[in-house]
């Protein structure tokens, strides 16, 4: 099958970000974790453990990790340590988890109580950051901390709804600056200017992955996340391209000539919908076919042959806002369409792997 051939090609040529503990590789690792969960193929587990051997020392230190930067992106790959510890029982993985949990304990916060995105992005909430931190935070609270900080997690999602949501568009802005001081933020609302696809993808995955790690017996708090998830899914589906089944880089600006169908954000939406169906957060009869159509469209349209092998195309390489020294990253439509569009970026590949894994889970492992 095309997906299996792509996995063979990608995994053979996979190279991590050397000497950097990073979330991009974490996206691929989570893809392998979920493919292992659904297929039982040991090669996926081996990919993960081999990678972690390069970063987690025998004493549980994380190589190339710097807590003092208070970069919320650094938390994301920590989710994989829970699985590695479960698989192997090696204490170094548990110690690595504690290292990252300590960062959350000290992470600077907005006055409203949400984690700063990074130390260099003071007072800012980004949709990306919800995905980077909250599922890990929920895993820790459920497994090790008797659910004591569930309310803190829920409140951070409620803050995102309060400060980033546009009622008319039914979409979330990429980011919010509580101080209203950074150049890209609206001086009245603090919001960035536009609706970037991958940021909505991060947000949807943050919700469904956090729900997955939550004890559902805490019903009222679970229901808050479920309602936010359903609302966000309904909103994003208004902008699905009917012909391709995918979504545009700047979500609501199909009219802009240079706008394009983007792979990573589309994969994240497909993943979130399929997982939402599996967790019964969404009605399977209504939404499962939508999620499967997205994954199938990515396989059909975005896997291309290049240099003698399959590659995943149309991935936005990177997009962000600021900091103050980088006024080019201003949140305009033009900015989001100016960033490089590449193949096999780890953020897109990881999301596609996870989406495909969820499709297999939904179909009882039938491709």
């Amino acid at each position: 099958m095309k997906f299996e051939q792509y996995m063979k090609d990608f995994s053979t040529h996979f190279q991590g970000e050397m000497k950097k503990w990073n979330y991009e590789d974490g996206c691929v690792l989570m893809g392998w974790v979920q493919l292992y969960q659904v297929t039982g193929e040991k090669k996926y587990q081996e990919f993960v453990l081999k990678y972690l051997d390069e970063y987690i020392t025998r004493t549980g230190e994380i190589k190339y990790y710097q807590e003092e930067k208070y970069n919320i992106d650094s938390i994301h790959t920590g989710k994989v340590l829970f699985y590695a510890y479960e698989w192997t029982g090696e204490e170094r993985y548990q110690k690595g988890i504690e290292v990252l949990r300590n960062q959350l304990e000290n992470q600077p916060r907005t006055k409203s109580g949400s984690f700063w995105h990074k130390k260099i992005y003071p007072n800012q909430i980004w949709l990306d950051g919800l995905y980077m931190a909250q599922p890990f935070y929920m895993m820790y609270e459920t497994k090790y901390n008797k659910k004591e900080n569930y309310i803190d997690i829920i409140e951070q999602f409620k803050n995102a709804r309060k400060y980033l949501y546009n009622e008319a568009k039914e979409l979330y802005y990429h980011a919010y600056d509580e101080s209203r001081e950074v150049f890209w933020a609206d001086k009245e609302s603090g919001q960035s200017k536009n609706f970037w696809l991958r940021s909505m993808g991060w947000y949807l995955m943050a919700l469904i992955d956090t729900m997955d790690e939550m004890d559902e017996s805490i019903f009222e708090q679970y229901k808050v996340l479920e309602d936010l998830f359903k609302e966000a899914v309904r909103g994003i589906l208004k902008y699905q391209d009917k012909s391709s089944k995918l979504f545009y880089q700047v979500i609501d600006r199909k009219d802009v000539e240079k706008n394009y169908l983007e792979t990573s954000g589309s994969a994240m939406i497909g993943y979130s919908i399929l997982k939402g169906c599996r967790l019964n957060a969404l009605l399977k009869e209504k939404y499962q076919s939508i999620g499967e159509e997205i994954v199938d469209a990515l396989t059909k349209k975005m896997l291309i042959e290049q240099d003698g092998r399959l590659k995943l195309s149309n991935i936005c390489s990177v997009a962000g806002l600021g900091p103050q020294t980088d006024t080019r990253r201003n949140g305009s439509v033009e900015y989001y369409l100016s960033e490089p569009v590449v193949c096999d970026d780890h953020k897109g590949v990881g999301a596609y792997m996870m989406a495909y894994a969820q499709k297999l889970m939904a179909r009882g492992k039938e491709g």
Side-chain angles (χ1 to χ4, degrees):
M1 288 179 62
K2 199 173 184 181
F3 176 80
E4 282 74 14
Q5 183 59 50
Y6 174 63
M7 278 293 93
K8 182 179 179 180
D9 290 345
F10 176 80
S11 299
T12 299
H13 294 88
F14 173 79
Q15 288 187 327
E17 292 276 352
M18 297 303 292
K19 297 186 178 181
K20 182 182 178 184
W21 176 254
N22 67 95
Y23 78 93
E24 293 95 335
D25 290 354
C27 292
V28 174
L29 296 179
M30 284 305 302
W32 280 330
V33 165
Q34 293 190 28
L35 286 170
Y36 173 64
Q37 288 175 327
V38 69
T39 68
E41 293 186 30
K42 284 286 187 179
K43 63 183 179 181
Y44 295 123
Q45 184 189 61
E46 290 167 359
F47 288 144
V48 173
L49 295 176
K50 181 180 178 182
Y51 180 95
L52 292 178
D53 275 343
E54 297 293 321
Y55 285 87
I56 310 300
T57 70
R58 291 182 180 181
T59 58
E61 294 175 282
I62 303 174
K63 292 181 181 179
Y64 318 119
Y65 162 73
Q66 298 173 290
E67 178 181 331
E68 64 274 11
K69 289 190 173 183
Y70 292 108
N71 181 348
I72 209 71
D73 292 342
S74 299
I75 303 299
H76 166 60
T77 305
K79 290 187 295 186
V80 182
L81 301 181
F82 288 95
Y83 297 102
Y85 183 50
E86 179 184 313
W87 295 336
T88 67
E90 294 182 24
E91 292 296 325
R92 60 177 173 148
Y93 297 124
Q94 171 63 38
K95 291 177 180 177
I97 290 167
E98 295 295 339
V99 167
L100 296 172
R101 178 62 182 85
N102 188 66
Q103 178 183 325
L104 291 185
E105 193 66 28
N106 299 308
Q107 186 80 10
R109 294 180 182 241
T110 64
K111 292 178 182 177
S112 60
S114 292
F115 295 136
W116 286 11
H117 190 60
K118 298 180 184 180
K119 188 176 181 180
I120 62 169
Y121 297 136
N123 308 301
Q124 295 172 26
I125 304 170
W126 292 28
L127 294 181
D128 318 32
L130 289 162
Y131 178 70
M132 300 303 159
Q134 303 305 331
F136 172 93
Y137 194 4
M138 183 62 78
M139 291 175 87
Y140 188 93
E141 290 302 308
T142 301
K143 293 176 184 294
Y144 303 133
N145 203 38
K146 301 179 181 179
K147 314 175 186 66
E148 289 194 5
N149 290 303
Y150 269 30
I151 291 176
D152 183 27
I153 296 169
I154 303 302
E155 288 299 316
Q156 294 198 48
F157 279 106
K158 288 168 70 174
N159 279 345
R161 175 61 171 77
K162 180 177 181 180
Y163 296 115
L164 289 160
Y165 189 66
N166 181 299
E167 296 276 358
K169 293 281 189 176
E170 298 181 62
L171 294 170
Y172 284 73
Y173 292 103
H174 186 177
Y176 161 77
D177 174 27
E178 188 177 64
S179 72
R180 277 80 165 163
E181 292 177 356
V182 72
F183 65 90
W184 51 256
D186 183 271
K187 297 308 177 187
E188 293 187 9
S189 69
Q191 296 163 340
S192 58
K193 297 180 179 70
N194 284 288
F195 306 103
W196 176 44
L197 181 62
R198 191 155 69 224
S199 68
M200 276 297 299
W202 291 130
Y203 179 65
L204 287 168
M205 293 202 302
L207 282 165
I208 199 64
D209 284 359
T210 302
M211 290 163 61
D212 190 24
E213 299 301 333
M214 189 175 185
D215 185 342
E216 291 184 49
S217 66
I218 315 297
F219 177 75
E220 289 186 5
Q221 294 173 25
Y222 185 88
K223 189 69 165 55
V224 170
L225 297 189
E226 186 177 60
D227 288 347
L228 289 174
F229 179 70
K230 289 178 178 178
E231 177 185 66
V233 168
R234 287 194 301 268
I236 194 67
L237 286 177
K238 288 173 52 180
Y239 301 92
Q240 185 180 26
D241 180 61
K242 302 307 179 188
S243 174
S244 68
K245 307 301 182 184
L246 304 177
F247 299 82
Y248 281 88
Q249 164 78 341
V250 182
I251 301 170
D252 62 328
R253 296 304 307 273
K254 183 178 179 179
D255 59 300
V256 176
E257 184 179 353
K258 292 185 179 180
N259 207 357
Y260 61 94
L261 297 168
E262 200 277 331
T263 292
S264 66
S266 295
M268 291 172 179
I269 294 165
Y271 164 80
S272 300
I273 289 172
L274 288 169
K275 189 169 184 178
C277 291
R278 189 168 62 80
L279 298 184
N280 296 314
L282 296 173
L283 189 66
K284 293 179 183 179
E285 293 78 6
K286 180 177 180 180
Y287 288 100
Q288 185 163 314
S289 62
I290 296 173
E292 291 187 6
E293 283 179 342
I294 295 169
V295 178
D296 291 345
L298 291 168
T299 302
K300 182 178 180 180
K301 301 175 187 298
M302 298 307 186
L303 283 182
I304 63 171
E305 189 165 339
Q306 191 178 91
D307 303 324
R309 63 187 177 95
L310 288 175
K311 293 186 179 182
L312 189 65
S313 64
N314 271 50
I315 305 171
C316 172
S317 176
V318 65
L321 296 161
Q324 292 284 33
T325 54
D326 189 359
T327 55
R328 183 184 68 87
R329 292 161 43 118
N330 62 7
S332 66
V333 172
E334 293 74 20
Y335 161 68
Y336 286 116
L337 299 181
S338 72
E339 291 288 12
V341 182
V342 300
C343 292
D344 283 355
D345 181 275
H346 291 179
K347 299 178 287 296
V349 176
Y352 175 56
M353 291 162 68
M354 291 191 292
Y356 201 92
Q358 291 300 317
K359 177 188 166 185
L360 293 180
M361 291 178 191
R363 292 189 171 188
K365 300 186 183 181
E366 296 178 10

